[in-house]
Amino acid sequence: MRYLPHSDAERAEMLATIGIASEDALFSAVPRAAYNTGAIDLPAHSPEFLVEAHMRALSGKNRAAGDGPFFVGAGAYRHHVPATVDHLIQRSEWLTAYTPYQPEISQGTLQMLFEFQTQVAKLTGMEVANASLYDGSTGTAEAVLMARRLTRKKKLVLSGGLHPHYRDVVKAYLKDDPDLACLPASPQGQGDILDHIDDQTAAIVIQTPDFYGHLRDLQKAADTAHAKGALLIVVVTEVVSLGLLEAPGTFGADIVVAEGQSIGNALNFGGPYVGLMATRKEFVRQMPGRLCGETVDAEGKRGFVLTLSTREQHIRREKATSNICTNSGLCALAFTIHMSLLGEAGLTRLARLNHSRAIALADALARVPGVEVLNKTFFNEFTIRVGKPADDVIEALAQRNVLAGVPVSRLEPGKPELENLIVLAATELTTDADIAALANGLKEVLA
C-alpha cells in the first residue's frame, strides 16, 4: 500500500504558498537529460511473507563467524561477549537514551560515559579521554587534524604498517593533501618512519600491533618526534592487546586512537563500532567530541555534567574542532559493561589467552610446507606468505569451511609484492581443532 500523507487539495495549497505552479518546478534546476523516464530495474512487489522468505534464503547463503574455523581479523575481531552485556544494553532506559543535549537530566548516561572515559584513559595510559568517536578509522583522521591545530604545522607521516582502510579515511578527510605522506606497505616490519620526520612535521602515525601484526618501538618514535617538535599518534585496532602490552602513554604518545569493537561489541558486519581517543590534559581543548565530568550539586551530592563539548552543535560552527554530531553511545555502553565485568585482572587473562592462541597458530602454520610466518613479534595477529596467490588460497579454504584470514591484496590491490600475503588472527575463541583444520587445509591447497 502506498503511503500518501497529503491530499491533492493540501498539495495545491502548499504549492500556492511557496508560489509555484507544480511539483516539477521544484526540480527545475535538474537537467531533463538526468531524469529517469523508464521503469526502475527492481523486482515487482510481493506479499510480505514472500519477501521474508526471499530474504531468509539470501541470509542462508552467508557464513557466520561462528559456523566454523575463523581467522579473520584486520581491524575487526571475533571475541566472546558475555550475555550480560546484551541484556543490560537492551534495557529501555539505556536503549532509548540518546545523546544528552540537556545532559543534567540524563545522569545515568553521563555517569556511564564518565566511567567509559576513565577506562579508556587507564587502558591507554593517557590523562584524559573523550566520550567516544564513530570508530578507529575516523578517530585517526580526527587525530591528525588535532595534531595540526596543536603544532600549527602541516606535514603528516603515516606508517606503512597503518591499516589501509585507516590510511584511506585519513586521505579522504584531507582530500589528498600534498603535505600528507603515506609510506609504502611494510609487511615484514621494514621501513623507518623516523627518517621522514623534519622540523615541518606535525605528527607521525604509528599503529601497534600494526596491520601486519608487528609490534612497534614507541619509545624511540616518541623521542625522535618530540626532538623535532612533532607529535606521536598511536593507533590500536585490537584493544585487547592493551591488557598485555604496556600502554602507549607510558612511552610518550601524545594522542592515542583505538577501535574498541573487541570489548563488548560483536562483529556486526563492520559496524557500528566505537572509536576511542585519549590525549594529554594540556591538549584537551583541541580534542574533538565531548567530555563528561564529575561534580557535586548544591547539596553536595555526586553528579555528572557535560564538561567540554567542542562539536559544532554546541558552539559556533567556525569555532568547532569537529563536525561529529553524536557518538556511538550504545556501543560505548557495551564496551563499559564488558570492561567492568572483566576488570583489570580479567583483561590481562583475556590478553594472555589471545596471545597464547596466536602462538599455537603460528607454530602450527610454520610447519606447513609452503608457508612462511613473517613476524618475529606479534600479539594475536600475524602475516604469512604462501606459495600461491592469497585470494585463491582463501577461496579454496572457504570451500573447505575454513575462513583463513584476509588476503592483503584485497585491501592493497595492484601490488604484486603483496599478492601472496595473508593476515590471520587468533582469539580466545580459536580452538585446537580450528588450528588443525586450517593447517591441514593449507597443506592440501598448497600441495
Side-chain angles (χ1 to χ4, degrees):
M1 183 176 69
R2 299 182 68 193
Y3 178 63
L4 300 174
H6 301 297
S7 67
D8 290 340
E10 289 171 328
R11 290 169 180 266
E13 182 181 355
M14 288 189 290
L15 293 173
T17 299
I18 62 177
I20 61 174
S22 68
E23 293 178 25
D24 289 342
L26 292 171
F27 306 99
S28 59
V30 179
R32 300 302 301 182
Y35 279 59
N36 185 354
T37 57
I40 299 176
D41 185 20
L42 290 174
H45 70 277
S46 295
E48 182 178 342
F49 67 91
L50 290 181
V51 173
E52 290 177 349
H54 175 69
M55 298 306 293
R56 282 195 299 270
L58 291 178
S59 176
K61 296 180 179 180
N62 291 329
R63 186 174 179 281
D67 289 346
F70 182 85
F71 301 92
V72 180
Y77 304 91
R78 178 177 175 244
H79 291 283
H80 172 67
V81 178
T84 307
V85 175
D86 192 52
H87 172 75
L88 290 176
I89 66 173
Q90 292 195 56
R91 288 181 60 93
S92 60
E93 58 263 51
W94 287 121
L95 195 59
T96 62
Y98 191 57
T99 303
Y101 292 105
Q102 291 77 38
E104 287 71 23
I105 65 172
S106 303
Q107 284 295 295
T109 298
L110 283 172
Q111 180 174 356
M112 177 275 292
L113 293 175
F114 179 81
E115 303 293 351
F116 169 84
Q117 292 168 181
T118 304
Q119 291 172 344
V120 174
K122 287 183 175 293
L123 274 173
T124 58
M126 304 301 288
E127 295 173 317
V128 62
N130 68 12
S132 96
L133 298 173
Y134 291 135
D135 56 27
S137 63
T138 53
T140 303
E142 292 287 350
V144 299
L145 295 175
M146 177 179 167
R148 279 187 166 179
R149 293 193 298 270
L150 287 167
T151 63
R152 301 181 185 275
K153 298 177 182 180
K154 291 289 187 181
K155 182 178 176 181
L156 300 162
V157 186
L158 308 187
S159 165
L162 181 64
H163 194 298
H165 286 171
Y166 286 42
R167 176 201 63 208
D168 292 346
V169 170
V170 173
K171 291 173 67 175
Y173 266 62
L174 298 183
K175 296 182 174 64
D176 291 323
D177 191 313
D179 291 311
L180 174 64
C182 301
L183 300 188
S186 52
Q188 291 182 289
Q190 79 276 17
D192 194 349
I193 191 174
L194 307 186
D195 293 339
H196 297 267
I197 305 174
D198 57 31
D199 294 331
Q200 303 305 312
T201 303
I204 60 172
V205 180
I206 294 178
Q207 179 177 325
T208 187
D210 70 13
F211 173 68
Y212 301 98
H214 303 284
L215 304 181
R216 296 290 185 164
D217 184 350
L218 297 182
Q219 188 64 66
K220 185 177 180 181
D223 293 343
T224 306
H226 294 160
K228 293 289 186 178
L231 302 182
L232 171 62
I233 299 172
V234 175
V235 176
V236 182
T237 63
E238 172 52 292
V239 70
V240 172
S241 68
L242 296 179
L244 189 58
L245 304 177
E246 197 161 353
T250 63
F251 295 107
D254 299 291
I255 305 171
V256 179
V257 178
E259 173 54 66
Q261 172 268 321
S262 289
I263 303 294
N265 291 272
L267 288 170
N268 291 331
F269 297 95
Y273 286 168
V274 53
L276 318 181
M277 175 180 275
T279 189
R280 299 184 192 178
K281 188 176 181 179
E282 64 192 277
F283 298 155
V284 68
R285 290 193 175 275
Q286 290 299 331
M287 183 170 58
R290 305 174 304 156
L291 191 145
C292 299
E294 181 182 13
T295 186
V296 294
D297 63 13
E299 299 177 354
K301 296 180 180 178
R302 186 187 189 208
F304 300 90
V305 296
L306 187 61
T307 303
L308 286 177
S309 191
T310 57
R311 59 190 189 151
E312 46 82 21
Q313 285 194 338
H314 288 84
I315 61 177
R316 288 180 297 169
R317 189 176 298 269
E318 66 274 11
K319 295 291 185 180
T321 58
S322 170
N323 67 348
I324 287 181
C325 299
T326 184
N327 77 316
S328 304
L330 201 65
C331 297
L333 172 63
F335 179 99
T336 304
I337 293 171
H338 192 181
M339 188 63 70
S340 300
L341 292 170
L342 285 170
E344 185 175 347
L347 179 64
T348 299
R349 288 196 297 272
L350 177 62
R352 290 191 183 280
L353 183 56
N354 272 250
H355 184 50
S356 67
R357 292 284 75 201
I359 291 174
L361 176 62
D363 288 346
L365 298 188
R367 294 190 292 269
V368 175
V371 173
E372 177 190 2
V373 178
L374 301 187
N375 301 63
K376 294 182 179 179
T377 61
F378 56 86
F379 172 62
N380 70 350
E381 193 166 28
F382 56 87
T383 303
I384 63 172
R385 178 181 283 116
V386 293
K388 296 180 179 180
D391 272 328
D392 297 339
V393 172
I394 292 294
E395 182 60 31
L397 288 168
Q399 298 303 316
R400 290 166 168 78
N401 203 36
V402 177
L403 296 184
V406 177
V408 174
S409 58
R410 184 173 298 171
L411 303 186
E412 294 279 24
K415 299 179 180 179
E417 70 276 14
L418 304 178
E419 287 183 353
N420 287 24
L421 303 183
I422 301 173
V423 176
L424 306 97
T427 71
E428 74 280 5
L429 298 178
T430 304
T431 66
D432 289 340
D434 293 338
I435 294 173
L438 174 60
N440 292 333
L442 276 171
K443 289 177 184 178
E444 296 175 5
V445 171
L446 296 177

